Amino acid sequence: MTEDLLAGLQAELDQRKQQGLLRRRRVLESAQSSHIQVDGREVLSFCSNDYLGLAQHPRLIAALQQGAASAGVGSGASHLITGHHHYHQQLEQALAAFVGLPAALLFSTGYMANFGVITALMGRNDAIFADKLNHASLNDAAVLSRARLYRYAHNDVAALKKLLQASQAPRKLVAVDAVFSMDGDLAPVPQLLALCEQYNAWLLLDDAHGFGVLGAQGRGVLHHFNVNSNRIIYMATLGKAAGVAGAFVAADAVLIDYLLQQARTYIYTTASPPALAASLLEALKIIEQEDERRAYLQALIATLKSGLKLQRWQLLDSATAIQPLMVGDNHSATQLSEYLLQQGILVPAIRPPTVPKGSARLRITLSAAHSVDDVQRLIAALNRAESRF
Ligand SMILES: *Cc1c(COP(=O)(O)O)cnc(C)c1O
């Protein structure tokens, strides 16, 4: 009977609520920005991944409008049928050149890109080596690929080396977040690449939080570390710093050709609207040309770090726009988040299973859309909060 089925679900929901783990959505009533209207009130927000403040940039909006006027709204078909518009084609070429790899393939989301790559390349008998703090999309894809999944302690290169050494798998893939999404720290990419060379493994770098932000002109993590190799599979998302939506994979042309034949999340889905690609072409120009956005973002990061005078809670050691404030237990993190909201400041509490148990935190993200005053307001509120809790 449906009643039993629903009662089972309700019991699980109730349990989650008791544990302080119930997730809920807020309704955004303005454009994405630093000051937003949400659930009927104005708040100062520190939770978007719009690191460069491009999500409502007039040039991106204009490019989207013109793109829609010329290409229509829906793409109407998958890329392999008739959905592959010249805007998509142009964008793929521009993205590959921008990150310095031979070819690129667009996906509708980063989640789908990771799924497409991992399930296309890896199968039974193969082995995937993954950092414990990787994004869920990498883990889910690894499980679905049916390859053996080895998870090693965060950024523990020695542990990874042992695992690679012991592996007899015919195909090996090391997959990591280049910038860890909940901690903001970087993967040791040069060391990972050296290990991949030594043990003949692919290296999949998920640069969702580095593209547009790291490296000269925002070219991403490869440029930050000055590395390149035809065993690197570079994935970046286009809904964060790039301000629009979607993702791409860039790599050797043979690998990209292979994905075009094999990546199921590329083949069996409708192409994203071409106007998004038109808007992204404009975003790419701004990312490339406006170094001042990145310099300003770095200045805001420095302001936050030097302004916080906290004893109990500490910022994790991060040089990126992701500045997590470690709190620990779920309820305290939620309470702190609610306290800030009373002051009109929105910083969400991130709880398990998104982060490991006992490491609930406030995930503060800074953006070039913030003013120095915005950041000062957050600093003052947090400094006040600690003495009250
Ligand atoms: C956001 C994110 C993704 C997923 O990208 P979407 O385009 O939002 O689906 C993948 N990996 C990491 C590390 C991310 O932070």
Side-chain angles (χ1 to χ4, degrees), residues 119-387:
T119 61
L121 293 180
M122 296 284 124
R124 266 186 229 284
N125 307 322
D126 297 329
I128 299 170
F129 305 87
D131 191 290
K132 274 252 164 82
L133 296 190
N134 274 355
H135 190 260
S137 57
L138 291 169
N139 293 332
D140 296 355
V143 170
L144 196 74
S145 76
R146 300 185 176 87
R148 271 298 288 270
L149 173 60
Y150 299 90
R151 297 176 76 203
Y152 58 90
H154 180 50
N155 278 347
D156 188 341
V157 178
L160 172 61
K161 184 181 167 80
K162 275 194 198 142
L163 290 170
L164 283 165
Q165 212 161 23
S167 172
Q168 301 294 323
R171 280 187 295 196
K172 305 183 191 76
L173 171 82
V174 174
V176 293
D177 285 21
V179 176
F180 288 87
S181 57
M182 295 301 138
D183 288 51
D185 58 340
L186 271 65
V189 173
Q191 289 93 315
L192 297 178
L193 182 59
L195 281 182
C196 288
E197 263 154 21
Q198 191 178 352
Y199 297 100
N200 195 28
W202 293 107
L203 178 58
L204 171 57
L205 295 173
D206 176 340
D207 203 22
H209 303 278
F211 179 80
V213 179
L214 293 179
Q217 294 165 302
R219 289 171 196 271
V221 75
L222 300 184
H223 292 259
H224 174 85
F225 284 113
N226 196 22
V227 297
N228 206 324
S229 161
N230 58 3
R231 67 175 65 248
I232 289 176
I233 307 166
Y234 179 87
M235 194 291 288
T237 62
L238 300 168
K240 291 172 180 163
V244 185
F248 70 100
V249 176
D252 189 273
V254 174
L255 188 122
I256 296 299
D257 280 348
Y258 186 80
L259 291 180
L260 184 65
Q261 304 301 321
Q262 294 286 344
R264 301 177 67 84
T265 53
Y266 183 79
I267 300 167
Y268 298 107
T269 192
T270 302
S272 63
L276 296 183
S279 186
L280 280 161
L281 282 163
E282 200 60 26
L284 201 55
K285 286 184 200 152
I286 297 174
I287 290 172
E288 188 169 2
Q289 289 160 5
E290 298 189 5
D291 275 336
E292 58 273 20
R293 286 178 186 268
R294 279 174 292 276
Y296 178 62
L297 181 59
Q298 283 304 322
L300 293 180
I301 293 168
T303 301
L304 176 70
K305 284 186 172 188
S306 63
L308 285 183
K309 305 277 182 254
L310 301 175
Q311 305 297 321
R312 205 149 19 108
W313 309 316
Q314 292 303 326
L315 283 180
L316 293 183
D317 187 17
S318 157
T320 68
I322 303 167
Q323 291 289 324
L325 186 70
M326 185 60 76
V327 175
D329 79 281
N330 300 338
H331 288 290
S332 304
T334 309
Q335 275 171 9
L336 178 55
S337 175
E338 279 164 7
Y339 172 81
L340 290 176
L341 192 57
Q342 285 162 16
Q343 329 273 310
I345 301 175
L346 181 59
V347 190
I350 308 285
R351 294 158 290 173
T354 308
V355 292
K357 267 198 186 126
S359 75
R361 66 198 67 182
L362 296 198
R363 182 176 181 269
I364 300 166
T365 54
L366 297 173
S367 161
H370 287 120
S371 69
V372 175
D373 275 358
D374 291 338
V375 176
Q376 294 293 4
R377 236 181 96 192
L378 174 66
I379 290 168
L382 282 170
N383 286 340
R384 260 196 323 270
E386 201 184 51
S387 58

